Amino acid sequence: MDKTIIITGGAGFIGSHVVRRFVTKYPGYRIINLDALTYAGNLENLRDIENAPNYFFEKANILNTDDLERVFTLYQPDGIIHLAAESHVDRSILSPLDFVYTNVIGTVNLLNAAKQYWKDDSSGKRFYHISTDEVYGALGKTGFFTESTAYSPNSPYSASKASSDHFVRAYGETYHLPVIITNCSNNYGPNHFPEKLIPLFINNIITQKPLPVYGDGLYTRDWLYVKDHAAAIDLVFHEGKEHETYNIGGFNEWRNIDLVKLLCKLMDEKLGNVHGASEKLITYVKDRPGHDRRYAIDAAKINKELGWKPSVTFEEGLKLTIDWYFENKEWLTHVTSGEYQQYYNEQYTTR
Ligand code: NAD
Ligand code: TYD
């Protein structure tokens, strides 16, 4: 059956891959990209599909309830896939309240809009909230986050995402809203804003700037190629069970310093540098406060129940990512002008 789906945050990194996948794979669906176009939202991410007949863009803010009422009334959605958020831990340390507004209050506004709009009949509807593994806090040397791990957020970002997850769950229980949540590990890939580790370091190697490794560099993350996350979101949206939570991860743990060295090697190959040239840019800098030591996802549930698994290895995904940045230097120049410079100076000049 054809559907009308509002995807919030569709102009951002992960959202743009989800929008593209749904617009091209389901020509019978109407896909509405609802995005406020903050510093992280970029319509250049969607140039290739912006004229598709089933794609609609609405510049709207989830903090503005009039905006939400207008878009819901205009399109009458059957589904919401909610990705709009403030998403960067370092920015959350600089200005936590922005994260409370967008991630907590914005999510509750969206829940209220869906509740109001579907009040007479929510059968066949779906409110799908995209969240992060960071809500679970930090792991020691061993163990994994499962769907039953207790929430223990350590950064303002993860605290705001944890809070939004709780509200989504509560609206499912209290108002029987047909909700579903996924918690995913660190994504990487094309269109990633160069304030996060991998695209920042690709950009800094291209521009020959220092590679600022926080603390001892032994922090561990579980990395997933963004298109594999988009495939998981497609699967969960269609096949996931209402009121359930699924963890999504890459089965792919890397210590930051090992990842950075692999990235340097691949960049040297791409640039035709002698081996070791990019590694010379590695600079250890002051640690991030409240830095979570290790994240690792147990993705057995989504694998067993829905048959999802990642499609590319980390080295394949990194090569695809590097190739994309080299083919899209103009994109990189556009997003690193203006406000980015101000953020970069504030974040790195005193470290
Ligand atoms: P992003 O920062 O690249 O994009 C966020 C998008 O939301 C932007 O297009 C921005 O314009 C939009 N937005 C922000 N505030 C808004 C508002 N008030 N109203 C409407 N739109 C607004 O983020 P991302 O990395 O693509 O992450 C998307 C979602 O996935 C987030 O909810 C994030 O918590 C979650 N997530 C991200 C990762 C990751 O590694 N990036 C991992 C797991 C989960
Ligand atoms: P990041 O990409 O910000 O994702 P998250 O904090 O959500 O996991 O950071 C990934 C890891 O890389 C994290 O351990 C912090 C570290 N990091 C650095 O060492 N230097 C940097 O400049 C950045 C942005 C991150």
Side-chain angles (χ1 to χ4, degrees), residues 9 11-13 35-45 59 61 83-95 98-99 102-103 157 191-196 199 288 331-344 347:
F13 166 47
D35 199 297
L37 300 182
T38 68
Y39 80 95
N42 183 354
L43 290 177
E44 272 187 66
N45 292 344
K59 184 168 184 323
N61 196 314
L83 297 108
E86 288 293 337
S87 69
H88 186 34
V89 174
D90 290 324
R91 285 187 193 249
S92 83
I93 295 167
L94 295 173
S95 39
D98 292 344
F99 287 68
T102 296
N103 297 358
Y157 164 65
N191 308 94
H192 205 182
F193 193 79
E195 65 183 357
K196 310 275 173 78
R288 170 189 280 174
W331 181 95
L332 203 48
T333 309
H334 289 171
V335 302
T336 52
S337 59
E339 193 269 350
Y340 180 82
Q341 295 302 335
Q342 201 184 322
Y343 164 76
Y344 196 91
Q347 182 61 22

Side-chain angles (χ1 to χ4, degrees), residues 258-277:
D258 299 332
L259 184 164
V260 169
K261 285 184 176 165
L262 172 62
L263 187 66
C264 286
K265 179 175 106 46
L266 296 175
M267 286 293 287
D268 283 342
E269 283 166 19
K270 182 82 185 172
L271 289 161
N273 285 343
V274 291
H275 181 66

Side-chain angles (χ1 to χ4, degrees), residues 8-15 34-42 60-63 82-87 102 130-133 157 161 184-188 192-193 195-196 229:
T8 72
F13 166 47
I14 302 171
L34 186 163
D35 199 297
L37 300 182
T38 68
Y39 80 95
N42 183 354
N61 196 314
I62 57 172
L63 288 171
H82 177 38
L83 297 108
E86 288 293 337
S87 69
T102 296
I130 307 300
S131 193
T132 165
D133 61 354
Y157 164 65
K161 290 298 289 187
C184 187
S185 63
N186 285 61
N187 285 215
Y188 70 98
H192 205 182
F193 193 79
E195 65 183 357
K196 310 275 173 78
H229 188 190

